[in-house]
Amino acid sequence: MNRLFAPIGIAVALASAAPAALGLTRAFDAKALARYDISYARCEARFADMRGHRDEAYLDLWRIRSDDKSAARLAGVRGGTVYRTERQLVLKGSASSSVAAASATLERECQGLWAEHQRVIQNKR
């Protein structure tokens, strides 16, 4: 179950420590994006404020401007076979895991992700 929620925590840690050029390559990794999307969907289900901000929050973690080009690139990655395959594997693995046991971990990671997104928004002003 930790594998499911780890992408958000890892993304926060890497984004704050990695240079922008290195982050750009990692930001559009299909497998990591698939795991992030599943984790973020669970965050959206628990925290109403997070709904509808998946791409913005993801791009903010990597310090990438949210524009048409980055949105198109994310859409391209999500349309690929690597993304779809990884998404199916993670969903299949999480169906057999106990979600209740990881509830506290999910909550901390969701709050950390949302706090980082809000910090980036404040810095843009």
Side-chain angles (χ1 to χ4, degrees), residues 54-125:
R54 176 185 65 179
D55 288 351
E56 295 168 26
Y58 185 75
L59 294 170
D60 285 347
L61 284 173
W62 295 102
R63 308 294 192 268
I64 299 170
R65 185 182 328 185
S66 181
D67 57 13
D68 292 339
K69 184 179 177 182
S70 57
R73 194 161 175 196
L74 284 174
V77 171
R78 287 185 177 117
T81 57
V82 174
Y83 175 89
R84 289 192 307 257
T85 303
E86 183 67 14
R87 183 174 170 82
Q88 288 174 351
L89 287 172
V90 172
L91 286 173
K92 183 179 178 182
S94 67
S96 62
S97 301
S98 171
V99 175
S103 179
T105 302
L106 173 65
E107 187 166 336
R108 280 193 311 273
E109 289 180 355
C110 292
Q111 289 173 348
L113 172 65
W114 193 243
E116 179 67 14
H117 174 61
Q118 294 301 313
R119 188 182 68 74
V120 170
I121 289 173
Q122 289 295 328
N123 288 341
K124 287 181 182 177
R125 292 181 184 167

Side-chain angles (χ1 to χ4, degrees), residues 2-50:
N2 286 340
R3 179 176 178 217
L4 179 63
F5 300 117
I8 292 175
I10 291 170
V12 170
L14 289 176
S16 55
L22 182 59
L24 186 62
T25 303
R26 290 184 181 163
F28 296 103
D29 175 49
K31 289 183 177 184
L33 183 59
R35 292 187 300 268
Y36 169 86
D37 285 349
I38 292 168
S39 296
Y40 195 87
R42 290 200 170 102
C43 290
E44 285 180 316
R46 290 189 76 162
F47 302 100
D49 292 346
M50 295 181 77

